[in-house]
Amino acid sequence: MHRDELKSLFDQQAAGYDRQWAKMAPIREALYYLLESVFAALPADARLLCVGVGTGTELAHLAAKFPGWRFTAVEPSGAMLDVCRQRAEAGGFATRCTFHEGYLESLPADGLHDAATCFLVSQFFLDPEVRTEFFRAIAARLMPDGSSPAPTWPRINAPLNTRRCSQPGST
């Protein structure tokens, strides 16, 4: 699928997306539990980049657990980002968020982040080189010791192993 097709698909699914994936909640909650331990050493006022934030479920979880953190939510689907924004407003943490409708490369450079999340996004990049560049772009927006956990993706706080990243199925 091309970008425009994916964006259109997620725009159509936004209103019922969380309901559609509700049966996967135990897996999602396990990921969040692991995420808390990965991010435990971050500063109390950390800046987090959430790439492909979707409806904002991980953002809401982290905002509740870490009340001093600030978030940059990046999402190409306007409808999904609207749901995320509504969730942030309802949860009382919207003032700690910057919402960006678009792709990572269109996000204005506005300082570095302490960490990033990118859950269930990289599977849409079928070309290994494109996938590698995507994670490099995330790493470029992180502090030198920043981390970016993603399912099946190693932490990005060490030099990126492009050979491993280029192997099929490595992300």
Side-chain angles (χ1 to χ4, degrees):
M1 267 189 189
H2 291 48
R3 281 183 161 192
D4 292 338
E5 294 171 308
L6 280 171
K7 183 183 175 307
S8 177
L9 177 68
F10 283 108
D11 281 344
Q12 293 168 21
Q13 294 181 0
Y17 189 82
D18 290 336
R19 193 171 46 257
Q20 174 185 344
W21 293 100
K23 290 182 180 178
M24 301 299 285
I27 294 170
R28 182 183 66 227
E29 294 302 318
L31 285 172
Y32 295 167
Y33 179 75
L34 293 171
L35 189 60
E36 288 174 33
S37 67
V38 170
F39 285 164
L42 291 178
D45 62 346
R47 287 187 68 205
L48 214 70
L49 175 64
C50 300
V51 181
V53 73
T55 62
T57 56
E58 88 237 17
L59 192 155
H61 177 85
L62 292 170
K65 290 285 184 179
F66 303 99
W69 289 7
R70 291 164 290 133
F71 303 90
T72 302
V74 179
E75 173 58 49
S77 166
M80 295 286 268
L81 194 61
D82 286 343
V83 173
C84 177
R85 186 179 288 111
Q86 291 165 9
R87 174 174 271 129
E89 289 168 358
F93 59 90
T95 58
R96 296 190 285 140
C97 299
T98 300
F99 299 96
H100 176 73
E101 182 178 342
Y103 293 94
L104 183 60
E105 68 266 13
S106 67
L107 178 68
D110 184 27
L112 297 176
H113 295 79
D114 295 290
T117 61
C118 180
F119 282 5
L120 304 175
V121 173
S122 67
Q123 73 272 15
F124 294 109
F125 300 109
L126 303 180
D127 181 329
E129 289 181 30
V130 172
R131 187 178 299 158
T132 299
E133 268 315 302
F134 173 69
F135 282 104
R136 280 193 181 126
I138 292 173
R141 292 180 179 270
L142 297 178
M143 301 284 219
D145 60 347
S147 64
S148 180
T152 71
W153 189 255
R155 290 182 61 191
I156 302 178
N157 62 353
L160 189 60
N161 182 340
T162 56
R163 183 172 181 194
R164 179 170 188 254
C165 294
S166 297
Q167 293 173 351
S170 64
T171 60

mmCIF file of all heavy atoms in Angstrom, residues 38-48 65-71 96 112-115 143 145-147:
data_model
loop_
_atom_site.group_PDB
_atom_site.id
_atom_site.type_symbol
_atom_site.label_atom_id
_atom_site.label_comp_id
_atom_site.label_asym_id
_atom_site.label_seq_id
_atom_site.Cartn_x
_atom_site.Cartn_y
_atom_site.Cartn_z
ATOM 1 N N VAL A 38 11.584 0.290 30.492
ATOM 2 C CA VAL A 38 12.576 0.827 29.554
ATOM 3 C C VAL A 38 12.762 2.326 29.782
ATOM 4 O O VAL A 38 13.877 2.844 29.731
ATOM 5 C CB VAL A 38 12.164 0.549 28.093
ATOM 6 C CG1 VAL A 38 13.052 1.300 27.114
ATOM 7 C CG2 VAL A 38 12.200 -0.941 27.804
ATOM 8 N N PHE A 39 11.669 3.016 30.079
ATOM 9 C CA PHE A 39 11.712 4.467 30.242
ATOM 10 C C PHE A 39 11.898 4.917 31.691
ATOM 11 O O PHE A 39 11.870 6.110 31.977
ATOM 12 C CB PHE A 39 10.428 5.085 29.695
ATOM 13 C CG PHE A 39 10.347 5.121 28.190
ATOM 14 C CD1 PHE A 39 9.135 5.349 27.575
ATOM 15 C CD2 PHE A 39 11.454 4.942 27.388
ATOM 16 C CE1 PHE A 39 9.034 5.405 26.195
ATOM 17 C CE2 PHE A 39 11.371 4.981 26.007
ATOM 18 C CZ PHE A 39 10.151 5.216 25.404
ATOM 19 N N ALA A 40 12.078 4.015 32.617
ATOM 20 C CA ALA A 40 12.134 4.351 34.046
ATOM 21 C C ALA A 40 13.221 5.370 34.390
ATOM 22 O O ALA A 40 13.049 6.166 35.303
ATOM 23 C CB ALA A 40 12.318 3.079 34.868
ATOM 24 N N ALA A 41 14.315 5.362 33.682
ATOM 25 C CA ALA A 41 15.426 6.262 34.003
ATOM 26 C C ALA A 41 15.315 7.632 33.339
ATOM 27 O O ALA A 41 16.179 8.489 33.553
ATOM 28 C CB ALA A 41 16.750 5.603 33.605
ATOM 29 N N LEU A 42 14.276 7.850 32.577
ATOM 30 C CA LEU A 42 14.124 9.154 31.928
ATOM 31 C C LEU A 42 13.876 10.237 32.963
ATOM 32 O O LEU A 42 13.316 9.971 34.034
ATOM 33 C CB LEU A 42 12.967 9.127 30.923
ATOM 34 C CG LEU A 42 13.180 8.286 29.665
ATOM 35 C CD1 LEU A 42 11.935 8.318 28.785
ATOM 36 C CD2 LEU A 42 14.389 8.763 28.881
ATOM 37 N N PRO A 43 14.254 11.477 32.651
ATOM 38 C CA PRO A 43 14.032 12.561 33.613
ATOM 39 C C PRO A 43 12.535 12.826 33.838
ATOM 40 O O PRO A 43 11.704 12.482 33.001
ATOM 41 C CB PRO A 43 14.704 13.767 32.956
ATOM 42 C CG PRO A 43 14.899 13.415 31.530
ATOM 43 C CD PRO A 43 14.925 11.924 31.436
ATOM 44 N N ALA A 44 12.223 13.436 34.964
ATOM 45 C CA ALA A 44 10.832 13.721 35.319
ATOM 46 C C ALA A 44 10.166 14.666 34.325
ATOM 47 O O ALA A 44 8.939 14.677 34.196
ATOM 48 C CB ALA A 44 10.765 14.309 36.724
ATOM 49 N N ASP A 45 10.971 15.434 33.600
ATOM 50 C CA ASP A 45 10.418 16.373 32.611
ATOM 51 C C ASP A 45 10.779 15.945 31.178
ATOM 52 O O ASP A 45 10.996 16.774 30.303
ATOM 53 C CB ASP A 45 10.919 17.783 32.882
ATOM 54 C CG ASP A 45 12.438 17.905 32.758
ATOM 55 O OD1 ASP A 45 13.142 16.861 32.723
ATOM 56 O OD2 ASP A 45 12.930 19.040 32.707
ATOM 57 N N ALA A 46 10.823 14.653 30.936
ATOM 58 C CA ALA A 46 11.232 14.110 29.634
ATOM 59 C C ALA A 46 10.335 14.596 28.504
ATOM 60 O O ALA A 46 9.151 14.879 28.696
ATOM 61 C CB ALA A 46 11.220 12.583 29.676
ATOM 62 N N ARG A 47 10.943 14.681 27.333
ATOM 63 C CA ARG A 47 10.209 14.960 26.095
ATOM 64 C C ARG A 47 10.168 13.653 25.317
ATOM 65 O O ARG A 47 11.200 13.045 25.041
ATOM 66 C CB ARG A 47 10.935 16.010 25.256
ATOM 67 C CG ARG A 47 10.842 17.405 25.817
ATOM 68 C CD ARG A 47 11.418 18.423 24.861
ATOM 69 N NE ARG A 47 10.555 18.505 23.681
ATOM 70 C CZ ARG A 47 10.975 18.907 22.481
ATOM 71 N NH1 ARG A 47 12.224 19.234 22.278
ATOM 72 N NH2 ARG A 47 10.134 18.971 21.470
ATOM 73 N N LEU A 48 8.953 13.238 24.955
ATOM 74 C CA LEU A 48 8.771 11.965 24.262
ATOM 75 C C LEU A 48 8.194 12.205 22.869
ATOM 76 O O LEU A 48 7.228 12.955 22.717
ATOM 77 C CB LEU A 48 7.823 11.080 25.071
ATOM 78 C CG LEU A 48 8.133 9.598 25.006
ATOM 79 C CD1 LEU A 48 9.414 9.306 25.753
ATOM 80 C CD2 LEU A 48 7.010 8.813 25.582
ATOM 81 N N LYS A 65 1.118 7.851 33.823
ATOM 82 C CA LYS A 65 2.199 7.312 34.667
ATOM 83 C C LYS A 65 3.287 8.351 34.969
ATOM 84 O O LYS A 65 3.933 8.291 36.008
ATOM 85 C CB LYS A 65 2.860 6.107 33.992
ATOM 86 C CG LYS A 65 1.985 4.889 33.936
ATOM 87 C CD LYS A 65 1.924 4.252 35.288
ATOM 88 C CE LYS A 65 1.113 2.972 35.222
ATOM 89 N NZ LYS A 65 1.054 2.309 36.509
ATOM 90 N N PHE A 66 3.495 9.267 34.026
ATOM 91 C CA PHE A 66 4.588 10.230 34.139
ATOM 92 C C PHE A 66 4.053 11.648 33.923
ATOM 93 O O PHE A 66 4.136 12.198 32.817
ATOM 94 C CB PHE A 66 5.691 9.897 33.122
ATOM 95 C CG PHE A 66 6.223 8.495 33.264
ATOM 96 C CD1 PHE A 66 5.773 7.466 32.432
ATOM 97 C CD2 PHE A 66 7.167 8.194 34.236
ATOM 98 C CE1 PHE A 66 6.265 6.173 32.560
ATOM 99 C CE2 PHE A 66 7.661 6.896 34.376
ATOM 100 C CZ PHE A 66 7.208 5.887 33.538
ATOM 101 N N PRO A 67 3.501 12.255 34.965
ATOM 102 C CA PRO A 67 2.786 13.525 34.831
ATOM 103 C C PRO A 67 3.639 14.734 34.450
ATOM 104 O O PRO A 67 3.090 15.771 34.068
ATOM 105 C CB PRO A 67 2.144 13.720 36.206
ATOM 106 C CG PRO A 67 2.903 12.856 37.136
ATOM 107 C CD PRO A 67 3.438 11.716 36.322
ATOM 108 N N GLY A 68 4.956 14.612 34.490
ATOM 109 C CA GLY A 68 5.802 15.736 34.092
ATOM 110 C C GLY A 68 6.288 15.668 32.657
ATOM 111 O O GLY A 68 6.939 16.593 32.164
ATOM 112 N N TRP A 69 5.997 14.583 31.981
ATOM 113 C CA TRP A 69 6.484 14.415 30.611
ATOM 114 C C TRP A 69 5.683 15.254 29.630
ATOM 115 O O TRP A 69 4.491 15.483 29.805
ATOM 116 C CB TRP A 69 6.415 12.955 30.199
ATOM 117 C CG TRP A 69 7.424 12.075 30.874
ATOM 118 C CD1 TRP A 69 8.280 12.395 31.893
ATOM 119 C CD2 TRP A 69 7.669 10.708 30.563
ATOM 120 N NE1 TRP A 69 9.046 11.308 32.235
ATOM 121 C CE2 TRP A 69 8.692 10.254 31.437
ATOM 122 C CE3 TRP A 69 7.133 9.825 29.644
ATOM 123 C CZ2 TRP A 69 9.185 8.961 31.395
ATOM 124 C CZ3 TRP A 69 7.625 8.532 29.608
ATOM 125 C CH2 TRP A 69 8.645 8.108 30.478
ATOM 126 N N ARG A 70 6.358 15.643 28.542
ATOM 127 C CA ARG A 70 5.724 16.340 27.424
ATOM 128 C C ARG A 70 5.863 15.446 26.185
ATOM 129 O O ARG A 70 6.832 14.705 26.059
ATOM 130 C CB ARG A 70 6.408 17.684 27.194
ATOM 131 C CG ARG A 70 6.137 18.662 28.346
ATOM 132 C CD ARG A 70 7.081 19.845 28.357
ATOM 133 N NE ARG A 70 8.419 19.366 28.728
ATOM 134 C CZ ARG A 70 9.535 19.695 28.088
ATOM 135 N NH1 ARG A 70 9.519 20.510 27.067
ATOM 136 N NH2 ARG A 70 10.700 19.213 28.477
ATOM 137 N N PHE A 71 4.881 15.540 25.310
ATOM 138 C CA PHE A 71 4.783 14.607 24.187
ATOM 139 C C PHE A 71 4.647 15.337 22.859
ATOM 140 O O PHE A 71 3.945 16.350 22.770
ATOM 141 C CB PHE A 71 3.561 13.695 24.371
ATOM 142 C CG PHE A 71 3.586 12.926 25.661
ATOM 143 C CD1 PHE A 71 3.016 13.459 26.809
ATOM 144 C CD2 PHE A 71 4.195 11.680 25.743
ATOM 145 C CE1 PHE A 71 3.046 12.769 28.006
ATOM 146 C CE2 PHE A 71 4.234 10.986 26.947
ATOM 147 C CZ PHE A 71 3.654 11.532 28.073
ATOM 148 N N ARG A 96 0.184 19.211 27.587
ATOM 149 C CA ARG A 96 1.548 18.676 27.569
ATOM 150 C C ARG A 96 1.885 18.057 26.215
ATOM 151 O O ARG A 96 2.916 17.423 26.058
ATOM 152 C CB ARG A 96 1.725 17.622 28.672
ATOM 153 C CG ARG A 96 1.580 18.211 30.059
ATOM 154 C CD ARG A 96 1.995 17.221 31.134
ATOM 155 N NE ARG A 96 0.992 16.186 31.346
ATOM 156 C CZ ARG A 96 1.270 14.904 31.552
ATOM 157 N NH1 ARG A 96 2.508 14.472 31.538
ATOM 158 N NH2 ARG A 96 0.305 14.039 31.760
ATOM 159 N N LEU A 112 15.593 18.198 20.612
ATOM 160 C CA LEU A 112 15.693 16.746 20.666
ATOM 161 C C LEU A 112 14.792 16.187 21.750
ATOM 162 O O LEU A 112 14.461 16.871 22.717
ATOM 163 C CB LEU A 112 17.141 16.331 20.908
ATOM 164 C CG LEU A 112 18.132 16.725 19.817
ATOM 165 C CD1 LEU A 112 19.547 16.342 20.213
ATOM 166 C CD2 LEU A 112 17.751 16.093 18.490
ATOM 167 N N HIS A 113 14.428 14.927 21.596
ATOM 168 C CA HIS A 113 13.568 14.227 22.552
ATOM 169 C C HIS A 113 14.403 13.239 23.357
ATOM 170 O O HIS A 113 15.421 12.748 22.883
ATOM 171 C CB HIS A 113 12.449 13.497 21.804
ATOM 172 C CG HIS A 113 11.506 14.423 21.108
ATOM 173 N ND1 HIS A 113 11.808 15.016 19.906
ATOM 174 C CD2 HIS A 113 10.281 14.861 21.450
ATOM 175 C CE1 HIS A 113 10.797 15.788 19.537
ATOM 176 N NE2 HIS A 113 9.864 15.707 20.462
ATOM 177 N N ASP A 114 13.922 12.950 24.556
ATOM 178 C CA ASP A 114 14.614 11.998 25.420
ATOM 179 C C ASP A 114 14.389 10.556 24.986
ATOM 180 O O ASP A 114 15.218 9.688 25.238
ATOM 181 C CB ASP A 114 14.141 12.161 26.868
ATOM 182 C CG ASP A 114 14.532 13.511 27.421
ATOM 183 O OD1 ASP A 114 15.737 13.721 27.650
ATOM 184 O OD2 ASP A 114 13.649 14.362 27.597
ATOM 185 N N ALA A 115 13.250 10.307 24.364
ATOM 186 C CA ALA A 115 12.904 8.948 23.931
ATOM 187 C C ALA A 115 11.800 9.047 22.893
ATOM 188 O O ALA A 115 11.215 10.111 22.681
ATOM 189 C CB ALA A 115 12.439 8.107 25.116
ATOM 190 N N MET A 143 17.969 12.650 21.845
ATOM 191 C CA MET A 143 19.202 13.010 22.539
ATOM 192 C C MET A 143 20.206 11.881 22.291
ATOM 193 O O MET A 143 19.791 10.748 22.016
ATOM 194 C CB MET A 143 18.951 13.133 24.040
ATOM 195 C CG MET A 143 17.923 14.153 24.409
ATOM 196 S SD MET A 143 18.631 15.771 24.276
ATOM 197 C CE MET A 143 17.906 16.542 25.697
ATOM 198 N N ASP A 145 21.709 9.898 24.156
ATOM 199 C CA ASP A 145 21.458 8.689 24.938
ATOM 200 C C ASP A 145 19.979 8.310 24.947
ATOM 201 O O ASP A 145 19.535 7.529 25.778
ATOM 202 C CB ASP A 145 21.976 8.851 26.368
ATOM 203 C CG ASP A 145 21.300 10.011 27.094
ATOM 204 O OD1 ASP A 145 20.636 10.829 26.428
ATOM 205 O OD2 ASP A 145 21.443 10.107 28.319
ATOM 206 N N GLY A 146 19.217 8.836 23.993
ATOM 207 C CA GLY A 146 17.788 8.545 23.928
ATOM 208 C C GLY A 146 17.503 7.113 23.514
ATOM 209 O O GLY A 146 18.369 6.405 23.012
ATOM 210 N N SER A 147 16.276 6.670 23.766
ATOM 211 C CA SER A 147 15.909 5.309 23.387
ATOM 212 C C SER A 147 14.582 5.322 22.648
ATOM 213 O O SER A 147 13.775 6.228 22.797
ATOM 214 C CB SER A 147 15.826 4.400 24.616
ATOM 215 O OG SER A 147 14.802 4.835 25.471
#
